[in-house]
Amino acid sequence: MSRGELRIYLGAAPGVGKTYAMLEEARRRAERGTDVVVGFVETHGRRHTAAMVGDLEQVDRRTITYRGTGFTEMDLDGVLARRPEVVVVDELAHTNVPGSRNEKRWQDVQELLDAGISVLSTVNVQHLESVNDVVTQITGTNQRETVPDEIVRAAGQVELVDMTPEALRRRMAHGNIYRPDKIDAALGNYFRVGNLTALRELALLWLADKVDDQLDRYRNQQGISDTWEARERVVVALTGGSEGETLIRRAARIAARSKGADLLAVHVARSDGLAGFDPAQLARQRVLVESLGGTYHHVLGTDIPTALLDFARGVNATQLVLGASRRGRLAQVFSRGVGVTTTALSGAIDVHLVTHPEAGRGRPGSGVPAALSRRRRLLGYALAGVGMPVLTLLLRALPDLNLSNDILLFLAGVVGVALVGGLWPALVAALAGSLLLNWFFTPPYRTLTIAEADNLLALGVFVGVALAVSWVVDVAARRTREAARASADAQTLATVAGSVLRGQRPLPALLDRLRETFGLRAVSVLELTAEAEGRPGRAREVNAWRVVASVGEAPAGSPEEGETTVPVDDRLTVVLCGRRLDAADRRVVEAFAAQAAVALRQERLAEEAAAAKPLAAADRMRTALLAAVSHDLRTPLASAKAAVSSLRSLDVEFDADDRDELLATADESLDWLGRLVENLLDMSRLQAGALGVTATAIGLEDAVPRALDELGPAAADVTTDIPADLPAAVADPGLLERVLVNIIANALRYSPTGQPPTITASAHAGHVELRVIDTGPGIPEDQWEHVFLPFQRLGDRDNTTGVGLGLALSRGLVEAMGGSITPETTPGGGLTMALRLPAAAQTVTQESNR
């Protein structure tokens, strides 16, 4: 059985028409004779969407009871039993009600696809897992319902349903998306033009990436290696030299000329891992690439032009940026070089050869020390000087050997010298051996004349083989030493990277690991002060530098106080104390210094983010306050205004009952308005620390009835169970009444019809505890803290499901009185608010004991 095909309609925001477009496709397929059913469609009360469902066959939904309330979900078993060709399933990211077979709707869709049923579905970009944090940053709303990107990327077709922000806001204003009572809040919060523009760009970019993936798969399946210029991709090749920053900036400017172009930097290292690039330069260049919005890549290859072009074609690059060759003119006569070779083989890829100050100057010395130590080289010279004469004496004592055997033994001696002392001692041994062979063993003897051509050839072969063997041995020794050094450097870098990643503070961890690795007394990072910056003369003064990070004993306060100084940039310098490092160690330390600069930048960005967090919170509070004023105050004002205008109207005659009803409406609206203004003012006083609290002993048997009377007829059926011997609580009577009104009103709002809340009280451990218990839908435990955040009824949500300002204010007031409010789960379903206050008897006892 073949797997079903998934088609997804992607939108930037609610209301762009995803469900409508999905139903249009379903009707088109049904008209062509395809067996189509509707598994689940949420119309959100939009008449045009409901009309589009029309006569499409619908599978009855399944009702699930959760915490005493019934919810409807897609009947997965019913759809599987019906086995249509295509099923319509709206809202792919939806979280199913507890008790369903799967937690998420996309898991239901996977079962349908596995059963061979094709699915039409919808999703908004804010529900994609990879961009969820970005959406939260843009909109200030955390989307808890998400779908893994791979589910959407695996869809056979993804169609973007697009609409301009202005058109979407018009749809909202005309009431085509949300109910009228939610329009103002939505337009002022989630549906701002800036938010919608950013979400639209996210949707377009995400879909472009998916199209890119599809294009890559097609090219791979078809074996297409030619570049298709569907999107500009600029690749810059880095050698690890100082010219890298020039190349990166030039490539970034080329990429910036094309909107949406990608910037990729690549370093091709020799496959033996022994290339002489500068790791510090590459580390700094990688940071520069990433700061410009590009990506850094490291690949291996024996032939650099081939490896470079393979990478460029693999990423479908359109342009390649190379630096002009460092090689001198004479070297270019014998070899064309990487730039010329790459250009000749590039094909459809445009190659830019960028000049730089190092072009044509030749490569600088690698600074690699001799292959063998000085002691071994001296031993090799000694062996050549003593061994060759000793070997001659031995061969003179063995008269039965011919010239060929003598040459082989001398060759063995040269190889031995090469193994001990390397190239130059072996060359000395080869030269000495050739002279001794000619003098003692080649006729005519005791002269340097060679009479026979065969002997001349034999001596020539001896010298050539001796030179070749010496060279090979020296190269092997050099490679061995380079490999050991590279392995040690790589191990050091890996150890440092691991310690940095595991540490909570990357910069101190990096400096401490650097100090331990090289056996240093102290390591410090110095920064040039603003006064000394740009003035070289003052940079040598002690006060011109300040220590931004240090580890170890007695760290340096200026570059002159350390044994080794490693500049990072114009302002930062890493100073090492304890011993002077050699050139090879310094290269690794430079790489660490570059990473230290990155770690310092990250710490400062984190500090700036922490400093900006309270400002952002205050800004969100101001925004929410404005939204509250524009929305929550409008309803009671409108009701009171309508009632008073009706009473003043001369066109309508009202009887006494109508007048009483209108006056009651105006009075109730004004009371509501007064409570809301009091809540806003008290919240402001709480945040400013200016709320006055007058604590006194008060009995809950008196406070609770007053709060119920304040709530009016709505609280008439509330059940109370307050023991007669309950101790008095220590609280401010006025504030306590405000708290009780807010908590009880919240419980009334969510209690099912016929099941009013219950209020109980008890004393425990010197405290009085009052519980307001409801049997409503409750709140998940992971969201308990969120209900105490101000203005949670605002934003892109149904205002009847939020908790508004009441609970946030109540917690603040109770904590100001020395108590606490804690949510609990009501047994059998619902929410219990536990209010805990100090008992008056406990307070009196404590005062008397002082």
Side-chain angles (χ1 to χ4, degrees), residues 746 772-779 784 823-826 829-833:
N746 188 69
V772 179
I773 306 167
D774 69 63
T775 56
I779 299 175
W784 280 354
E824 299 175 357
T825 300
T826 303
L831 181 69
T832 297
M833 282 293 179

Side-chain angles (χ1 to χ4, degrees), residues 280-296:
Q281 292 280 9
L282 281 179
R284 285 192 289 268
Q285 291 162 16
R286 177 172 188 166
V287 173
L288 177 60
V289 169
E290 293 174 349
S291 69
L292 293 173
T295 57
Y296 177 85

Side-chain angles (χ1 to χ4, degrees), residues 324-598:
S325 177
R326 285 172 169 258
R327 302 161 72 246
R329 293 182 179 180
L330 182 61
Q332 293 181 27
V333 172
F334 297 98
S335 175
R336 295 189 300 175
V338 173
V340 177
T341 304
T342 303
T343 304
L345 301 175
S346 62
I349 301 176
D350 296 335
V351 179
H352 302 263
L353 283 177
V354 179
T355 186
H356 51 85
E358 303 298 327
R361 294 187 177 182
R363 290 193 173 277
S366 61
V368 179
L372 300 175
S373 66
R374 185 171 181 271
R375 179 175 176 274
R376 286 188 60 178
R377 294 198 305 275
L378 291 176
L379 183 59
Y381 284 119
L383 184 59
V386 176
M388 293 296 103
V390 170
L391 181 59
T392 301
L393 293 176
L394 289 176
L395 293 179
R396 293 282 292 175
L398 300 173
D400 295 336
L401 298 178
N402 57 27
L403 181 60
S404 299
N405 293 327
D406 295 334
I407 290 175
L408 289 175
L409 291 174
F410 268 92
L411 181 60
V414 172
V415 172
V417 172
L419 291 174
V420 174
L423 175 61
W424 294 107
L427 293 178
V428 172
L431 180 59
S434 64
L435 293 175
L436 291 171
L437 280 170
N438 190 5
W439 186 268
F440 289 104
F441 302 102
T442 305
Y445 301 110
R446 300 184 184 280
T447 68
L448 295 178
T449 303
I450 301 174
E452 298 179 9
D454 292 344
N455 294 337
L456 179 62
L457 177 62
L459 285 174
V461 171
F462 164 75
V463 173
V465 171
L467 292 175
V469 170
S470 301
W471 175 261
V472 169
V473 171
D474 185 77
V475 170
R478 187 179 297 277
R479 287 289 187 242
T480 301
R481 184 161 183 169
E482 288 178 353
R485 183 72 197 186
S487 177
D489 290 348
Q491 182 64 36
T492 302
L493 290 169
T495 303
V496 171
S499 66
V500 170
L501 290 174
R502 290 188 295 270
Q504 293 183 348
R505 298 188 63 197
L507 182 56
L510 188 148
L511 297 181
D512 194 55
R513 180 60 64 181
L514 180 60
R515 181 184 63 83
E516 292 178 1
T517 301
F518 293 98
L520 302 169
R521 186 186 79 246
V523 180
S524 56
V525 179
L526 306 181
E527 184 177 32
L528 198 64
T529 61
E531 294 79 9
E533 189 174 356
R535 302 176 64 181
R538 295 200 60 184
R540 288 189 289 271
E541 299 176 3
V542 176
N543 295 332
W545 298 88
R546 66 185 185 91
V547 179
V548 294
S550 64
V551 295
E553 299 179 0
S558 67
E560 288 74 16
E561 297 178 15
E563 280 76 15
T564 303
T565 301
V566 181
V568 180
D569 53 31
D570 294 338
R571 298 190 61 190
L572 291 177
T573 296
V574 176
V575 182
L576 314 179
C577 299
R579 70 183 182 90
R580 189 171 297 279
L581 302 181
D582 57 31
D585 288 337
R586 185 182 177 91
R587 295 177 64 195
V588 179
V589 173
E590 286 177 349
F592 293 166
Q595 295 302 321
V598 175

Side-chain angles (χ1 to χ4, degrees), residues 579-663:
R579 70 183 182 90
R580 189 171 297 279
L581 302 181
D582 57 31
D585 288 337
R586 185 182 177 91
R587 295 177 64 195
V588 179
V589 173
E590 286 177 349
F592 293 166
Q595 295 302 321
V598 175
L600 176 62
R601 185 184 306 168
Q602 290 175 341
E603 285 192 3
R604 289 180 171 175
L605 288 174
E607 292 173 358
E608 292 176 2
K613 191 173 182 180
L615 298 177
D619 183 67
R620 287 194 297 270
M621 178 65 70
R622 285 194 296 269
T623 302
L625 179 59
L626 291 174
V629 171
S630 66
H631 180 273
D632 287 9
L633 296 184
R634 183 172 298 178
T635 302
L637 283 174
S639 299
K641 174 68 174 177
V644 173
S645 298
S646 299
L647 290 172
R648 294 187 60 189
S649 175
L650 301 178
D651 299 330
V652 181
E653 291 287 341
F654 294 103
D655 57 22
D657 292 338
D658 291 336
R659 293 177 62 85
D660 289 342
E661 183 176 353
L662 289 172
L663 289 171

